[in-house]
Each structure stands twice: as structure tokens, then as C-alpha cells.
Amino acid sequence: MNTAQQGVVTLLKSAVTGAALKLPDNFSLEDEFVKETIKKHHLSTLVYAGALNCGISKESPFMKSLFKAYYKHTLRSEQQMLIVKSVFDAFDKNGIDYLPTKGCNMKALYPKPELRLMGDADITVRKNQLNLISQILENMGFTKSHEDDNNVNWDKGALHMEIHLRMKSFYQKDYYSDVWSKVKPVAGHRYTFNTEDTFIHLFNHFARHYRSGGIGIRHVLDLYVYRMKNPDMDEKYIYREMCVLKLQDFYKNVLSLLDVWFGDGESSEATDLISDTILQSGSWGNVTSHVLSKEVTKANKKGELSSSRRKLVVSSLFPPKSYMAVNYKVVERYPFLLPLFWVIRGVEVLISRPKKFRSTVRAWKNIDDKKVSEKQRQLKMVGLDLTDDESN
């Protein structure tokens, strides 16, 4: 990593450990790459906390702008967690079994909850309790924003909440088919994985997003923080499960990456590639990386690069009835109206997300077979080169 990258990572380590660490020589928060990285990866709260620990004056103009973001995110975090607690209380009162994951749990492991931003609250529930859950959330003032066979999304104030009816796994799609057999009750009707399985789920999520288009610096930090807080995990068990998930090679490379970023490890071609991919990604990747990853998946399944691209374009512009019926209920009842709603959907996308539409079109135009082959090579190098069903 270069000086700017090393400096950002040092500030993140300082933020989560509380240690006053030495920054690289010639590192500056005013560096344009540093500013862009903080913005792209939503690191303002972490960088501000780390900078204070490392002795950077809070009086500089950029530190003052970071403080404003820190204050805003602190208020948002408090609002989110108050709403989450009210949901948990309501579920306990009404006998709803629930399994919070990711951000809901990770916030408590950081020195301050606002250091761990939460884009949404992920909660897995039993499908047979969904109707009661919907009634409870509507009575609490939530608004349903999306629904499909796997998830129901709800919004209230600062909180976006994803209610999952099944838990996704990566490559091995049946790994969480009976998730309730893998968890245990902790209080009321709240359930949790054990320490090792919580980490496995975090890593599974990390790998899925890395493979499907990008994952950000904050998610690397989650893995580091979790391992730092749980140093006595059963590593043999974790590795066995990674083998079951076909993630063992990627897992070893990411462990090496954590040692390079936050320890004294030496970089390798694989860790350099993972670092570059993550640093260029932003919190959840970009349009080009997502389109390219979809192309690689199609090509892996069919072995046909050019035809897979044409199929991807067609399926994106003209989704199947099952997809359209989620957002346009009338299509389920009157399927002959599907072509009309393709047009309606297209107009809505152009009006509500014109920039994303244009960038997606540019991504399709700029991706060729050579780029798809190079992406396949990169995935193979880091341990994610699988050609079986990647639909999850």
C-alpha cells in the first residue's frame, strides 16, 4: 500500500483500538486520495476518532468538516438503535422469534456505536410469523418499501430494516436452509449464532459481496474487530466450515490481508489484488464492477461470454413476470399486461435514477470478453473461482 492508503488504515486501527499510533511520514488528511477514500467508503466517524487518537489537531478545516459528519452520524446511530430496540421489545412481547445479524450486533463491538455505521438492520424471522410481524410494524409506524420471496423491507425515520425470511449463503446455497437449527435463544425471543458461526456468517456476507461487485473498507474492519474481540475462537472449526462453503482459499487470503493491514504481515500478489479491489470499490462496489461480476457468473455457467452479455442486457431491460409482480402486483393477476409494465418500469427508472441508468448502459458498452476473462483470472487468484451455481 502507498503512504495515503497506509495512513487511512492506521487511523482506522487507532479508532477501534484506542491506541495512539504513528502515522506514515508525509501522510496528510488533506491528500485528495485520502479525502476521496473517506467519502467513498463512508469513513468520516472512524477517521475523525482515529485522527484525534493519533494527535491530529481538531482545529484544521478538514477535521472540522469530519466533526460535523461525526455529529450527524452519532445522532443517526442513536435514532436507529432506539428504533431497533423498540422492534425487539415488540417482537418479544408478541412471541416473534428473531435473529439479528451484521450491523445490529457489530455496533456493540466497536468502542462507540457511532463508529460502526449501519445502512440497514438485518433481522431473520420465521416465515410463518410474517403476517403478525407486518401488523406489528405497521402499528409501529413502519412503511413497507419492498417485498419479494426472501425479504420484506421496512422504513421508519432513520432506520431501514430488512426482514429476511431465509438467510443467504454463498455458493453452498443450502448452508443456511435450516438456520434455526444453528442458533440458540439468548433473551426473550431473540436468537443468536455462537461466536464462531457469527464470524462465519460475517465472512460469508463479505465474500458474497466481494464476488458480486464489491465490498468496502468498513467490512474489512468488521472482520478485524470481530476477531480482535474474540481471540479464542475455534479456528479449526471455522476452517472446516469454510471448506464446506468452498471459501477456504479466499478465507486464507483475507486472513493474510488483515495481517498486512493491521499487523506486521507481508503482502503477496493475492493480498495486493484484494486490497486494490476493496480500495477502488467504495462501500458496495460500483455499477461497472456489478455488471462485470454478473457477466463472469453467466460466462462461468454457460462458457459463452458474448451471448451471456446479450442475455444480461435483455434480462435487465425486460425482467421476468416473477420479478415484475413484486413491485407491480397487477402483473400477477393480469400477466398479459407485462409488456406495458416493462415500459412503465423503464420510464420510472429514467426519471428516478437517470445517472445510474446512464452509468449502467456505459458499463455494458465498455465490458468486453477480455475484461471478463481478466476478472475471472483475478477471482481465481484470490480463491473465488467457482463455476457451479452462484445464484445466491
Side-chain angles (χ1 to χ4, degrees):
M1 291 190 290
N2 60 36
T3 297
Q5 293 168 342
Q6 289 174 343
V8 171
V9 170
T10 300
L11 292 173
L12 298 181
K13 182 177 180 180
S14 175
V16 298
T17 62
L21 304 176
K22 185 181 184 303
L23 290 164
D25 293 338
N26 301 318
F27 173 77
S28 172
L29 277 179
E30 301 293 334
D31 182 279
E32 287 303 315
F33 172 84
V34 173
K35 289 182 177 180
E36 180 61 24
T37 300
I38 292 170
K39 179 181 178 181
K40 187 164 62 173
H41 289 268
H42 301 96
L43 300 174
S44 55
T45 57
L46 287 157
V47 167
Y48 182 77
L52 290 181
N53 291 340
C54 293
I56 295 178
S57 172
K58 63 182 179 182
E59 299 303 322
S60 72
F62 187 60
M63 281 290 282
K64 287 181 178 180
S65 70
L66 287 179
F67 174 74
K68 290 180 181 178
Y70 188 102
Y71 181 74
K72 181 184 73 174
H73 288 305
T74 298
L75 292 178
R76 181 178 178 83
S77 176
E78 291 177 353
Q79 292 167 357
Q80 287 179 329
M81 295 316 294
L82 283 173
I83 299 172
V84 167
K85 183 180 184 305
S86 69
V87 171
F88 291 173
D89 289 344
F91 283 1
D92 284 330
K93 181 179 178 181
N94 289 276
I96 302 296
D97 294 335
Y98 60 100
L99 171 65
T101 56
K102 295 184 289 189
C104 287
N105 300 327
M106 286 303 301
K107 273 182 167 291
L109 299 184
Y110 280 69
K112 296 179 181 179
E114 62 267 20
L115 295 181
R116 206 295 185 178
L117 302 187
M118 185 170 70
D120 49 59
D122 294 276
I123 305 171
T124 298
V125 301
R126 298 185 190 272
K127 190 171 184 177
N128 62 3
Q129 295 186 309
L130 182 59
N131 289 337
L132 179 55
I133 290 169
S134 297
Q135 293 174 15
I136 292 169
L137 295 178
E138 287 174 359
N139 291 338
M140 294 178 67
F142 279 85
T143 301
K144 186 186 298 184
S145 57
H146 175 77
E147 180 177 3
D148 58 35
D149 291 340
N150 301 318
N151 311 294
V152 185
N153 296 348
W154 297 84
D155 295 296
K156 181 180 179 181
L159 185 70
H160 176 72
M161 184 168 61
E162 295 187 359
I163 297 294
H164 300 286
L165 306 181
R166 74 179 184 99
M167 187 169 283
K168 292 182 179 180
S169 61
F170 189 43
Y171 291 136
Q172 292 300 308
K173 62 183 179 181
D174 294 329
Y175 187 76
Y176 291 118
S177 59
D178 186 17
V179 66
W180 297 99
S181 68
K182 293 178 176 285
V183 297
K184 59 184 180 182
V186 284
H189 286 264
R190 179 172 180 165
Y191 284 73
T192 186
F193 289 113
N194 66 26
T195 304
E196 288 78 12
D197 284 328
T198 297
F199 178 76
I200 290 167
H201 179 257
L202 275 176
F203 190 84
N204 200 315
H205 173 258
F206 178 90
R208 183 163 60 88
H209 281 285
Y210 183 99
R211 172 62 179 82
S212 65
I215 194 79
I217 294 173
R218 291 184 296 116
H219 303 91
V220 179
L221 197 62
D222 270 359
L223 298 178
Y224 172 69
V225 168
Y226 193 87
R227 292 181 67 82
M228 180 177 64
K229 294 292 185 178
N230 297 283
D232 298 323
M233 288 193 295
D234 185 342
E235 297 292 345
K236 291 183 178 179
Y237 170 78
I238 291 174
Y239 185 75
R240 285 198 303 270
E241 294 303 295
M242 292 298 173
C243 292
V244 172
L245 289 162
K246 300 184 181 180
L247 292 174
Q248 67 273 19
D249 292 335
F250 185 60
Y251 175 61
K252 287 188 288 188
N253 284 325
V254 172
L255 288 187
S256 297
L257 177 78
L258 294 179
D259 199 25
V260 171
W261 279 28
F262 303 111
D264 298 318
E266 293 188 7
S267 62
S268 65
E269 190 175 3
T271 60
D272 284 345
L273 177 55
I274 297 172
S275 287
D276 289 342
T277 300
I278 291 169
L279 288 165
Q280 294 170 14
S281 167
S283 289
W284 297 108
N286 53 54
V287 172
T288 298
S289 61
H290 282 282
V291 171
L292 181 57
S293 293
K294 288 181 180 179
E295 290 256 3
V296 170
T297 298
K298 293 287 186 181
N300 281 354
K301 289 180 180 179
K302 304 294 184 182
E304 304 168 354
L305 302 185
S306 298
S307 63
S308 73
R309 180 157 53 257
R310 289 193 296 271
K311 291 175 182 177
L312 175 61
V313 173
V314 171
S315 65
S316 298
L317 293 175
F318 307 105
K321 188 189 79 171
S322 58
Y323 177 91
M324 293 291 291
V326 171
N327 295 310
Y328 306 101
K329 301 297 184 183
V330 68
V331 171
E332 186 68 42
R333 188 173 181 184
Y334 303 107
F336 64 88
L337 293 176
L338 180 58
L340 171 63
F341 280 90
W342 279 334
V343 175
I344 292 173
R345 175 179 176 272
V347 172
E348 289 178 347
V349 169
L350 283 172
I351 293 174
S352 63
R353 292 172 287 172
K355 290 184 179 179
K356 183 175 181 180
F357 177 79
R358 288 195 295 270
S359 61
T360 302
V361 171
R362 284 196 298 270
W364 281 330
K365 287 182 177 180
N366 293 333
I367 288 175
D368 54 27
D369 293 355
K370 184 178 179 180
K371 291 179 180 178
V372 174
S373 296
E374 173 59 17
K375 186 64 177 179
Q376 289 174 312
R377 184 194 71 80
Q378 292 178 2
L379 290 170
K380 182 177 182 179
M381 179 185 294
V382 302
L384 288 177
D385 178 56
L386 294 182
T387 56
D388 54 357
D389 187 0
E390 302 172 8
S391 60
N392 274 12

